[in-house]
PDB file of all heavy atoms in Angstrom:
ATOM      1  N   PRO A1153     136.032  87.729  93.181  1.00  0.00           N
ATOM      2  CA  PRO A1153     135.324  88.469  94.236  1.00  0.00           C
ATOM      3  C   PRO A1153     136.235  89.148  95.187  1.00  0.00           C
ATOM      4  O   PRO A1153     137.519  88.754  95.322  1.00  0.00           O
ATOM      5  CB  PRO A1153     134.571  87.438  95.085  1.00  0.00           C
ATOM      6  CG  PRO A1153     135.311  86.173  94.871  1.00  0.00           C
ATOM      7  CD  PRO A1153     135.860  86.225  93.454  1.00  0.00           C
ATOM      8  N   ASP A1154     135.969  90.289  95.666  1.00  0.00           N
ATOM      9  CA  ASP A1154     136.890  90.983  96.570  1.00  0.00           C
ATOM     10  C   ASP A1154     136.680  90.363  97.974  1.00  0.00           C
ATOM     11  O   ASP A1154     135.605  89.979  98.292  1.00  0.00           O
ATOM     12  CB  ASP A1154     136.319  92.442  96.725  1.00  0.00           C
ATOM     13  CG  ASP A1154     136.406  93.349  95.422  1.00  0.00           C
ATOM     14  OD1 ASP A1154     137.468  93.016  94.697  1.00  0.00           O
ATOM     15  OD2 ASP A1154     135.633  94.124  95.187  1.00  0.00           O
ATOM     16  N   PRO A1155     137.745  90.349  98.660  1.00  0.00           N
ATOM     17  CA  PRO A1155     137.593  89.679  99.994  1.00  0.00           C
ATOM     18  C   PRO A1155     136.683  90.532 100.925  1.00  0.00           C
ATOM     19  O   PRO A1155     136.740  91.707 101.024  1.00  0.00           O
ATOM     20  CB  PRO A1155     138.988  89.744 100.620  1.00  0.00           C
ATOM     21  CG  PRO A1155     139.941  90.074  99.424  1.00  0.00           C
ATOM     22  CD  PRO A1155     139.038  90.676  98.422  1.00  0.00           C
ATOM     23  N   PRO A1156     135.834  89.779 101.544  1.00  0.00           N
ATOM     24  CA  PRO A1156     134.842  90.569 102.556  1.00  0.00           C
ATOM     25  C   PRO A1156     135.603  91.084 103.747  1.00  0.00           C
ATOM     26  O   PRO A1156     136.769  90.760 103.898  1.00  0.00           O
ATOM     27  CB  PRO A1156     133.814  89.532 102.933  1.00  0.00           C
ATOM     28  CG  PRO A1156     134.339  88.165 102.609  1.00  0.00           C
ATOM     29  CD  PRO A1156     135.347  88.439 101.466  1.00  0.00           C
ATOM     30  N   GLU A1157     135.009  91.985 104.438  1.00  0.00           N
ATOM     31  CA  GLU A1157     135.500  92.535 105.602  1.00  0.00           C
ATOM     32  C   GLU A1157     135.887  91.493 106.625  1.00  0.00           C
ATOM     33  O   GLU A1157     135.111  90.557 106.832  1.00  0.00           O
ATOM     34  CB  GLU A1157     134.504  93.540 106.354  1.00  0.00           C
ATOM     35  CG  GLU A1157     134.126  94.810 105.457  1.00  0.00           C
ATOM     36  CD  GLU A1157     134.909  95.998 105.772  1.00  0.00           C
ATOM     37  OE1 GLU A1157     135.405  96.046 106.872  1.00  0.00           O
ATOM     38  OE2 GLU A1157     134.990  96.822 104.851  1.00  0.00           O
ATOM     39  N   GLY A1158     137.004  91.581 107.254  1.00  0.00           N
ATOM     40  CA  GLY A1158     137.366  90.561 108.284  1.00  0.00           C
ATOM     41  C   GLY A1158     137.750  89.168 107.575  1.00  0.00           C
ATOM     42  O   GLY A1158     137.551  88.183 108.328  1.00  0.00           O
ATOM     43  N   PHE A1159     138.180  89.162 106.422  1.00  0.00           N
ATOM     44  CA  PHE A1159     138.561  87.865 105.742  1.00  0.00           C
ATOM     45  C   PHE A1159     139.679  87.304 106.465  1.00  0.00           C
ATOM     46  O   PHE A1159     140.748  87.878 106.443  1.00  0.00           O
ATOM     47  CB  PHE A1159     138.655  88.188 104.310  1.00  0.00           C
ATOM     48  CG  PHE A1159     138.869  86.855 103.440  1.00  0.00           C
ATOM     49  CD1 PHE A1159     137.782  86.085 103.297  1.00  0.00           C
ATOM     50  CD2 PHE A1159     140.032  86.591 102.772  1.00  0.00           C
ATOM     51  CE1 PHE A1159     137.913  84.951 102.573  1.00  0.00           C
ATOM     52  CE2 PHE A1159     140.177  85.430 102.112  1.00  0.00           C
ATOM     53  CZ  PHE A1159     139.022  84.571 101.974  1.00  0.00           C
ATOM     54  N   ALA A1160     139.564  86.063 106.901  1.00  0.00           N
ATOM     55  CA  ALA A1160     140.586  85.463 107.874  1.00  0.00           C
ATOM     56  C   ALA A1160     141.621  84.679 107.026  1.00  0.00           C
ATOM     57  O   ALA A1160     142.639  84.279 107.514  1.00  0.00           O
ATOM     58  CB  ALA A1160     139.879  84.556 108.835  1.00  0.00           C
ATOM     59  N   TYR A1161     141.318  84.420 105.663  1.00  0.00           N
ATOM     60  CA  TYR A1161     142.197  83.567 104.916  1.00  0.00           C
ATOM     61  C   TYR A1161     143.105  84.470 103.994  1.00  0.00           C
ATOM     62  O   TYR A1161     142.725  85.549 103.864  1.00  0.00           O
ATOM     63  CB  TYR A1161     141.362  82.477 104.202  1.00  0.00           C
ATOM     64  CG  TYR A1161     140.626  81.628 105.101  1.00  0.00           C
ATOM     65  CD1 TYR A1161     139.250  81.821 105.240  1.00  0.00           C
ATOM     66  CD2 TYR A1161     141.314  80.633 105.792  1.00  0.00           C
ATOM     67  CE1 TYR A1161     138.632  80.920 106.121  1.00  0.00           C
ATOM     68  CE2 TYR A1161     140.581  79.710 106.696  1.00  0.00           C
ATOM     69  CZ  TYR A1161     139.286  79.993 106.746  1.00  0.00           C
ATOM     70  OH  TYR A1161     138.575  79.168 107.661  1.00  0.00           O
ATOM     71  N   LEU A1162     144.036  83.789 103.397  1.00  0.00           N
ATOM     72  CA  LEU A1162     144.912  84.512 102.362  1.00  0.00           C
ATOM     73  C   LEU A1162     144.063  84.707 101.086  1.00  0.00           C
ATOM     74  O   LEU A1162     143.185  83.881 100.784  1.00  0.00           O
ATOM     75  CB  LEU A1162     146.127  83.640 102.076  1.00  0.00           C
ATOM     76  CG  LEU A1162     147.054  83.429 103.287  1.00  0.00           C
ATOM     77  CD1 LEU A1162     148.153  82.456 102.856  1.00  0.00           C
ATOM     78  CD2 LEU A1162     147.656  84.742 103.728  1.00  0.00           C
ATOM     79  N   PRO A1163     144.353  85.798 100.374  1.00  0.00           N
ATOM     80  CA  PRO A1163     143.659  86.098  99.080  1.00  0.00           C
ATOM     81  C   PRO A1163     143.825  84.797  98.098  1.00  0.00           C
ATOM     82  O   PRO A1163     142.944  84.621  97.290  1.00  0.00           O
ATOM     83  CB  PRO A1163     144.253  87.279  98.591  1.00  0.00           C
ATOM     84  CG  PRO A1163     144.869  88.023  99.772  1.00  0.00           C
ATOM     85  CD  PRO A1163     145.350  86.908 100.699  1.00  0.00           C
ATOM     86  N   ARG A1164     144.988  84.096  98.180  1.00  0.00           N
ATOM     87  CA  ARG A1164     145.100  83.007  97.194  1.00  0.00           C
ATOM     88  C   ARG A1164     144.093  81.957  97.505  1.00  0.00           C
ATOM     89  O   ARG A1164     143.706  81.208  96.498  1.00  0.00           O
ATOM     90  CB  ARG A1164     146.473  82.451  97.107  1.00  0.00           C
ATOM     91  CG  ARG A1164     146.892  81.663  98.370  1.00  0.00           C
ATOM     92  CD  ARG A1164     148.313  81.075  98.107  1.00  0.00           C
ATOM     93  NE  ARG A1164     148.753  80.376  99.259  1.00  0.00           N
ATOM     94  CZ  ARG A1164     149.638  80.853 100.042  1.00  0.00           C
ATOM     95  NH1 ARG A1164     150.372  81.912  99.881  1.00  0.00           N
ATOM     96  NH2 ARG A1164     149.894  80.124 101.196  1.00  0.00           N
ATOM     97  N   ASN A1165     143.704  81.750  98.686  1.00  0.00           N
ATOM     98  CA  ASN A1165     142.596  80.761  99.030  1.00  0.00           C
ATOM     99  C   ASN A1165     141.366  81.204  98.428  1.00  0.00           C
ATOM    100  O   ASN A1165     140.480  80.296  97.967  1.00  0.00           O
ATOM    101  CB  ASN A1165     142.465  80.622 100.564  1.00  0.00           C
ATOM    102  CG  ASN A1165     143.702  79.901 101.188  1.00  0.00           C
ATOM    103  OD1 ASN A1165     144.534  79.253 100.446  1.00  0.00           O
ATOM    104  ND2 ASN A1165     143.839  80.074 102.391  1.00  0.00           N
ATOM    105  N   LEU A1166     141.019  82.604  98.470  1.00  0.00           N
ATOM    106  CA  LEU A1166     139.843  83.031  97.802  1.00  0.00           C
ATOM    107  C   LEU A1166     139.892  82.720  96.281  1.00  0.00           C
ATOM    108  O   LEU A1166     138.983  82.396  95.656  1.00  0.00           O
ATOM    109  CB  LEU A1166     139.719  84.343  97.981  1.00  0.00           C
ATOM    110  CG  LEU A1166     138.451  85.107  97.501  1.00  0.00           C
ATOM    111  CD1 LEU A1166     137.192  84.649  98.175  1.00  0.00           C
ATOM    112  CD2 LEU A1166     138.498  86.631  97.721  1.00  0.00           C
ATOM    113  N   MET A1167     141.071  82.969  95.691  1.00  0.00           N
ATOM    114  CA  MET A1167     141.209  82.687  94.206  1.00  0.00           C
ATOM    115  C   MET A1167     141.032  81.216  93.827  1.00  0.00           C
ATOM    116  O   MET A1167     140.436  80.954  92.855  1.00  0.00           O
ATOM    117  CB  MET A1167     142.605  83.145  93.691  1.00  0.00           C
ATOM    118  CG  MET A1167     142.772  84.704  93.672  1.00  0.00           C
ATOM    119  SD  MET A1167     141.616  85.406  92.566  1.00  0.00           S
ATOM    120  CE  MET A1167     141.020  86.698  93.618  1.00  0.00           C
ATOM    121  N   LYS A1168     141.579  80.351  94.750  1.00  0.00           N
ATOM    122  CA  LYS A1168     141.370  78.980  94.482  1.00  0.00           C
ATOM    123  C   LYS A1168     139.950  78.554  94.529  1.00  0.00           C
ATOM    124  O   LYS A1168     139.451  77.777  93.684  1.00  0.00           O
ATOM    125  CB  LYS A1168     142.158  78.154  95.515  1.00  0.00           C
ATOM    126  CG  LYS A1168     143.607  78.117  95.311  1.00  0.00           C
ATOM    127  CD  LYS A1168     144.209  77.137  96.373  1.00  0.00           C
ATOM    128  CE  LYS A1168     145.731  77.270  96.419  1.00  0.00           C
ATOM    129  NZ  LYS A1168     146.359  76.383  97.493  1.00  0.00           N
ATOM    130  N   ALA A1169     139.161  79.045  95.477  1.00  0.00           N
ATOM    131  CA  ALA A1169     137.752  78.772  95.656  1.00  0.00           C
ATOM    132  C   ALA A1169     137.097  79.392  94.431  1.00  0.00           C
ATOM    133  O   ALA A1169     136.142  78.696  93.844  1.00  0.00           O
ATOM    134  CB  ALA A1169     137.270  79.450  96.957  1.00  0.00           C
ATOM    135  N   TRP A1170     137.415  80.589  94.052  1.00  0.00           N
ATOM    136  CA  TRP A1170     136.795  81.228  92.828  1.00  0.00           C
ATOM    137  C   TRP A1170     137.052  80.402  91.507  1.00  0.00           C
ATOM    138  O   TRP A1170     136.027  80.158  90.784  1.00  0.00           O
ATOM    139  CB  TRP A1170     137.200  82.550  92.618  1.00  0.00           C
ATOM    140  CG  TRP A1170     136.832  83.288  91.429  1.00  0.00           C
ATOM    141  CD1 TRP A1170     135.462  83.576  91.058  1.00  0.00           C
ATOM    142  CD2 TRP A1170     137.652  83.718  90.361  1.00  0.00           C
ATOM    143  NE1 TRP A1170     135.519  84.131  89.783  1.00  0.00           N
ATOM    144  CE2 TRP A1170     136.778  84.272  89.293  1.00  0.00           C
ATOM    145  CE3 TRP A1170     138.935  83.645  90.091  1.00  0.00           C
ATOM    146  CZ2 TRP A1170     137.246  84.774  88.224  1.00  0.00           C
ATOM    147  CZ3 TRP A1170     139.501  84.324  88.899  1.00  0.00           C
ATOM    148  CH2 TRP A1170     138.615  84.760  87.968  1.00  0.00           C
ATOM    149  N   LEU A1171     138.244  79.790  91.215  1.00  0.00           N
ATOM    150  CA  LEU A1171     138.495  78.969  90.214  1.00  0.00           C
ATOM    151  C   LEU A1171     137.691  77.687  90.303  1.00  0.00           C
ATOM    152  O   LEU A1171     137.278  77.242  89.257  1.00  0.00           O
ATOM    153  CB  LEU A1171     139.995  78.649  90.148  1.00  0.00           C
ATOM    154  CG  LEU A1171     140.971  79.799  89.704  1.00  0.00           C
ATOM    155  CD1 LEU A1171     142.307  79.493  89.807  1.00  0.00           C
ATOM    156  CD2 LEU A1171     140.492  80.302  88.324  1.00  0.00           C
ATOM    157  N   ALA A1172     137.452  77.129  91.488  1.00  0.00           N
ATOM    158  CA  ALA A1172     136.696  75.957  91.680  1.00  0.00           C
ATOM    159  C   ALA A1172     135.207  76.176  91.271  1.00  0.00           C
ATOM    160  O   ALA A1172     134.658  75.397  90.641  1.00  0.00           O
ATOM    161  CB  ALA A1172     136.787  75.401  93.110  1.00  0.00           C
ATOM    162  N   VAL A1173     134.765  77.445  91.703  1.00  0.00           N
ATOM    163  CA  VAL A1173     133.398  77.770  91.329  1.00  0.00           C
ATOM    164  C   VAL A1173     133.280  77.870  89.893  1.00  0.00           C
ATOM    165  O   VAL A1173     132.212  77.292  89.319  1.00  0.00           O
ATOM    166  CB  VAL A1173     133.009  79.083  92.058  1.00  0.00           C
ATOM    167  CG1 VAL A1173     131.770  79.674  91.445  1.00  0.00           C
ATOM    168  CG2 VAL A1173     132.782  78.975  93.576  1.00  0.00           C
ATOM    169  N   MET A1174     134.122  78.415  89.144  1.00  0.00           N
ATOM    170  CA  MET A1174     134.019  78.540  87.741  1.00  0.00           C
ATOM    171  C   MET A1174     134.091  77.185  87.061  1.00  0.00           C
ATOM    172  O   MET A1174     133.267  76.825  86.179  1.00  0.00           O
ATOM    173  CB  MET A1174     135.178  79.451  87.139  1.00  0.00           C
ATOM    174  CG  MET A1174     134.880  80.962  87.361  1.00  0.00           C
ATOM    175  SD  MET A1174     135.989  81.905  86.377  1.00  0.00           S
ATOM    176  CE  MET A1174     137.547  81.168  86.472  1.00  0.00           C
ATOM    177  N   GLY A1175     134.994  76.311  87.531  1.00  0.00           N
ATOM    178  CA  GLY A1175     135.083  74.944  87.088  1.00  0.00           C
ATOM    179  C   GLY A1175     133.839  74.166  87.317  1.00  0.00           C
ATOM    180  O   GLY A1175     133.441  73.436  86.359  1.00  0.00           O
ATOM    181  N   ILE A1176     133.285  74.195  88.406  1.00  0.00           N
ATOM    182  CA  ILE A1176     132.000  73.520  88.648  1.00  0.00           C
ATOM    183  C   ILE A1176     130.819  74.039  87.839  1.00  0.00           C
ATOM    184  O   ILE A1176     130.149  73.153  87.364  1.00  0.00           O
ATOM    185  CB  ILE A1176     131.721  73.599  90.229  1.00  0.00           C
ATOM    186  CG1 ILE A1176     132.648  72.777  91.086  1.00  0.00           C
ATOM    187  CG2 ILE A1176     130.216  73.100  90.587  1.00  0.00           C
ATOM    188  CD1 ILE A1176     132.631  73.009  92.528  1.00  0.00           C
ATOM    189  N   PHE A1177     130.810  75.340  87.690  1.00  0.00           N
ATOM    190  CA  PHE A1177     129.713  75.844  86.857  1.00  0.00           C
ATOM    191  C   PHE A1177     129.825  75.520  85.506  1.00  0.00           C
ATOM    192  O   PHE A1177     128.829  75.006  84.797  1.00  0.00           O
ATOM    193  CB  PHE A1177     129.651  77.321  87.030  1.00  0.00           C
ATOM    194  CG  PHE A1177     128.447  77.954  86.291  1.00  0.00           C
ATOM    195  CD1 PHE A1177     127.187  78.032  86.996  1.00  0.00           C
ATOM    196  CD2 PHE A1177     128.462  78.365  84.976  1.00  0.00           C
ATOM    197  CE1 PHE A1177     126.031  78.562  86.268  1.00  0.00           C
ATOM    198  CE2 PHE A1177     127.357  78.784  84.310  1.00  0.00           C
ATOM    199  CZ  PHE A1177     126.183  78.860  84.913  1.00  0.00           C
ATOM    200  N   LEU A1178     130.974  75.639  84.869  1.00  0.00           N
ATOM    201  CA  LEU A1178     131.228  75.301  83.445  1.00  0.00           C
ATOM    202  C   LEU A1178     131.024  73.731  83.320  1.00  0.00           C
ATOM    203  O   LEU A1178     130.410  73.464  82.246  1.00  0.00           O
ATOM    204  CB  LEU A1178     132.586  75.775  83.040  1.00  0.00           C
ATOM    205  CG  LEU A1178     132.820  77.284  82.926  1.00  0.00           C
ATOM    206  CD1 LEU A1178     134.220  77.624  82.565  1.00  0.00           C
ATOM    207  CD2 LEU A1178     131.773  77.917  81.999  1.00  0.00           C
ATOM    208  N   THR A1179     131.499  72.886  84.149  1.00  0.00           N
ATOM    209  CA  THR A1179     131.232  71.517  83.917  1.00  0.00           C
ATOM    210  C   THR A1179     129.812  71.134  84.086  1.00  0.00           C
ATOM    211  O   THR A1179     129.244  70.445  83.277  1.00  0.00           O
ATOM    212  CB  THR A1179     132.052  70.683  85.136  1.00  0.00           C
ATOM    213  OG1 THR A1179     133.434  71.064  84.992  1.00  0.00           O
ATOM    214  CG2 THR A1179     131.882  69.330  84.949  1.00  0.00           C
ATOM    215  N   GLY A1180     129.122  71.820  85.011  1.00  0.00           N
ATOM    216  CA  GLY A1180     127.589  71.510  85.125  1.00  0.00           C
ATOM    217  C   GLY A1180     126.942  72.047  83.874  1.00  0.00           C
ATOM    218  O   GLY A1180     125.960  71.361  83.493  1.00  0.00           O
ATOM    219  N   ALA A1181     127.341  73.157  83.343  1.00  0.00           N
ATOM    220  CA  ALA A1181     126.624  73.685  82.176  1.00  0.00           C
ATOM    221  C   ALA A1181     126.790  72.694  80.997  1.00  0.00           C
ATOM    222  O   ALA A1181     125.845  72.417  80.149  1.00  0.00           O
ATOM    223  CB  ALA A1181     127.200  75.126  81.774  1.00  0.00           C
ATOM    224  N   VAL A1182     128.045  72.180  80.853  1.00  0.00           N
ATOM    225  CA  VAL A1182     128.351  71.237  79.792  1.00  0.00           C
ATOM    226  C   VAL A1182     127.587  69.938  79.973  1.00  0.00           C
ATOM    227  O   VAL A1182     126.836  69.383  79.031  1.00  0.00           O
ATOM    228  CB  VAL A1182     129.786  71.009  79.600  1.00  0.00           C
ATOM    229  CG1 VAL A1182     130.032  69.861  78.695  1.00  0.00           C
ATOM    230  CG2 VAL A1182     130.538  72.245  79.088  1.00  0.00           C
ATOM    231  N   ILE A1183     127.578  69.511  81.236  1.00  0.00           N
ATOM    232  CA  ILE A1183     126.877  68.277  81.495  1.00  0.00           C
ATOM    233  C   ILE A1183     125.343  68.339  81.184  1.00  0.00           C
ATOM    234  O   ILE A1183     124.682  67.563  80.675  1.00  0.00           O
ATOM    235  CB  ILE A1183     127.106  67.752  82.949  1.00  0.00           C
ATOM    236  CG1 ILE A1183     128.457  67.284  83.118  1.00  0.00           C
ATOM    237  CG2 ILE A1183     126.069  66.753  83.347  1.00  0.00           C
ATOM    238  CD1 ILE A1183     128.872  67.103  84.555  1.00  0.00           C
ATOM    239  N   ALA A1184     124.852  69.519  81.614  1.00  0.00           N
ATOM    240  CA  ALA A1184     123.331  69.738  81.592  1.00  0.00           C
ATOM    241  C   ALA A1184     122.844  69.988  80.128  1.00  0.00           C
ATOM    242  O   ALA A1184     121.737  69.697  79.810  1.00  0.00           O
ATOM    243  CB  ALA A1184     122.871  70.912  82.441  1.00  0.00           C
ATOM    244  N   THR A1185     123.801  70.420  79.150  1.00  0.00           N
ATOM    245  CA  THR A1185     123.316  70.765  77.868  1.00  0.00           C
ATOM    246  C   THR A1185     123.668  69.989  76.749  1.00  0.00           C
ATOM    247  O   THR A1185     122.905  69.546  75.870  1.00  0.00           O
ATOM    248  CB  THR A1185     123.727  72.254  77.644  1.00  0.00           C
ATOM    249  OG1 THR A1185     125.235  72.237  77.629  1.00  0.00           O
ATOM    250  CG2 THR A1185     123.039  73.295  78.590  1.00  0.00           C
ATOM    251  N   VAL A1186     124.916  69.403  76.704  1.00  0.00           N
ATOM    252  CA  VAL A1186     125.394  68.714  75.453  1.00  0.00           C
ATOM    253  C   VAL A1186     125.754  67.257  75.695  1.00  0.00           C
ATOM    254  O   VAL A1186     126.216  66.597  74.651  1.00  0.00           O
ATOM    255  CB  VAL A1186     126.543  69.573  74.830  1.00  0.00           C
ATOM    256  CG1 VAL A1186     126.171  70.862  74.506  1.00  0.00           C
ATOM    257  CG2 VAL A1186     127.731  69.598  75.772  1.00  0.00           C
TER     258      VAL A1186
END
């Protein structure tokens, strides 16, 4: 995601959160299906 207007944190913090979101979603998808 692009940093929103007035983003107070460093872009790498946004990247860490985005990677966590991807990990949580993929883990949840595997848990729910297989």
Side-chain angles (χ1 to χ4, degrees):
D1154 296 326
E1157 299 259 340
F1159 188 67
Y1161 300 103
L1162 296 173
R1164 74 172 175 252
N1165 292 340
L1166 183 64
M1167 289 299 134
K1168 284 181 186 178
W1170 172 62
L1171 288 173
V1173 164
M1174 284 195 319
I1176 291 170
F1177 185 87
L1178 292 175
T1179 302
V1182 168
I1183 288 172
T1185 56
V1186 297

